Amino acid sequence: MRRRTVPPVVAARWALWTFVVANLAIVEVLFLDAGTGKNDVLTVAKFFGLHAAVLMLFQLLLVARLPWLDRRIGMDRLTVWHRWVGFTLLWTLLTHAVLVVLGYAKLDDASMPKTFLALAGVPASLLGMLAAALVVVVASVSVRKVRRRLRYETWHGVHLLLYVALGLAFVHQLQETTTFTSSAFATVYWWALWLFAFGALVTGRIVTPLWRNSYHRFHVTAVVPESDQVVSVYVTGRHLDRLPARAGQFCIWRFPGHHHWWPANPFSLSAAPDGRTLRLTAKAVGSASAGLRHIPVGSRAFVEGPYGAFTSLHRTRPGALLIAGGVGITPVRALLEEEPSGDVVVLYRVRSERDAVLVDEVRALVADRGGELHLLTGRTGEGSPPFEPDGLRALVPDIAERDVYVCGPPAMTSAVLSALRGLKVPHRQVHAERFGLA
């Protein structure tokens, strides 16, 4: 529990944005020192090109899954930022490209189509055009209306083209940019920044997962059906006491031989890590999750993570309110094992008691701690909405004095967060996790 200290999420945000602003300031100084182009239009084009490079580097850091950032800000929030920075990058690149063509057209007194074709014949310029084209393709499939029509695996495959675009853009900058070769400091700074960003990405996304799986040697020890649609999978391995996992976090699970290697399945830990076993509990909503009950005991597991900021690291108050919807109960159930006091209230929203996943375990944990469990049943639109401000205040009169953890379907989570704002629950006491890697 943290009082009169800077919350971890605030510290992480300040650190991240300070890093970005500091590097933008350096880029501005270098631009002013050596950013003049062959005419005014090309000078502005260079300005946008340099800032596009900074946005690319920032994008890499947001998806590098750096543990310090992930545990404090959360992958869901970092992914949202990645999305908006991505669209900002798109418009910055397009502005840069149009201004380059316009600037050279003005310089050569030629039409823009003719200038475009001439630039396409220059290898360095062609690499930049190809990079921009790939960014446009990825952005097009990331528009919400298009994204919702695509399978995650298809969208993810197209999204990987961004790494190709980054490589092309990097070579383009090496051949075209003079700003970062204007001095020894500029050259060292530029290379150090790119090496740091690529190094963070490779370490977080490739090296760390491979090392952890080689070290821990994860494998399945039990598969337990919880209901017709829900199954729990128990995974063990070597030295799990050294795995930096906390209750409330999730992992990305793959089971070679059970399903294709490509699909990534993020499932929360449904029990607090005890140094011996990890447990995931999943509802059958797709072919991958539906097939989990058929995994043979002894099968290998490839585990990425743990990830997420939905943990007790962010506690600020003695009392806690845990709100879950459907299978969102899994991280809440794990958090209950870490709850030391009886000042805990759990609101569990399901259509019917039969749909209440792990409800017996939750009820036993709450009873052991002397807390309260409210099982809220019914379909959306039936009766009085349980997550309206008045409904929450009636169930938990001292709600503004508690830390509130929320995990469930997007519509429910949004309704709860809106109600908490209406009840004036301090923002630092609200902790929510939204599922989804895209």
Side-chain angles (χ1 to χ4, degrees), residues 202-230:
V202 172
T203 300
R205 300 295 294 269
I206 299 175
V207 175
T208 298
L210 289 177
W211 181 86
R212 279 185 179 164
N213 280 271
S214 174
Y215 180 71
H216 293 296
R217 297 182 184 178
F218 301 107
H219 61 276
V220 177
T221 57
V223 178
V224 180
E226 305 287 355
S227 70
D228 291 342
Q229 290 188 306
V230 179

Side-chain angles (χ1 to χ4, degrees), residues 101-102 104-106 108-119:
V101 176
L102 181 62
Y104 276 105
K106 182 178 179 181
D108 300 333
D109 194 22
S111 66
M112 289 188 67
K114 183 178 179 180
T115 304
F116 177 84
L117 293 175
L119 289 173

Side-chain angles (χ1 to χ4, degrees), residues 80-162:
V80 170
W81 293 353
H82 172 74
R83 173 182 173 81
W84 287 112
V85 172
F87 282 112
T88 303
L89 172 62
L90 169 68
W91 293 113
T92 304
L93 277 176
L94 290 178
T95 302
H96 168 69
V98 171
L99 289 175
V100 167
V101 176
L102 181 62
Y104 276 105
K106 182 178 179 181
L107 187 68
D108 300 333
D109 194 22
S111 66
M112 289 188 67
K114 183 178 179 180
T115 304
F116 177 84
L117 293 175
L119 289 173
V122 179
S125 298
L126 180 60
L127 290 175
M129 292 177 181
L130 292 174
L134 290 176
V135 171
V136 170
V137 170
V138 174
S140 298
V141 300
S142 296
V143 174
R144 291 192 187 279
K145 289 185 178 179
V146 178
R147 168 68 187 90
R148 288 170 180 166
R149 296 175 179 270
L150 297 174
R151 294 180 59 196
Y152 170 78
E153 293 78 17
T154 302
W155 173 87
H156 184 61
V158 175
H159 206 73
L160 290 178
L161 291 174
L162 275 180

Side-chain angles (χ1 to χ4, degrees), residues 201-276:
L201 181 73
V202 172
T203 300
R205 300 295 294 269
I206 299 175
V207 175
T208 298
L210 289 177
W211 181 86
R212 279 185 179 164
N213 280 271
S214 174
Y215 180 71
H216 293 296
R217 297 182 184 178
F218 301 107
H219 61 276
V220 177
T221 57
V223 178
V224 180
E226 305 287 355
S227 70
D228 291 342
Q229 290 188 306
V230 179
V231 63
S232 290
V233 179
Y234 293 77
V235 173
T236 191
R238 301 189 309 163
H239 311 302
L240 288 192
D241 56 313
R242 300 181 183 178
L243 183 70
R246 300 189 63 157
Q249 291 190 299
F250 69 94
C251 295
I252 298 173
W253 309 80
R254 291 180 173 88
F255 298 96
H258 153 66
H259 204 60
H260 300 297
W261 178 262
W262 186 255
N265 300 293
F267 297 120
S268 294
L269 298 172
S270 59
D274 58 7
R276 300 182 302 275

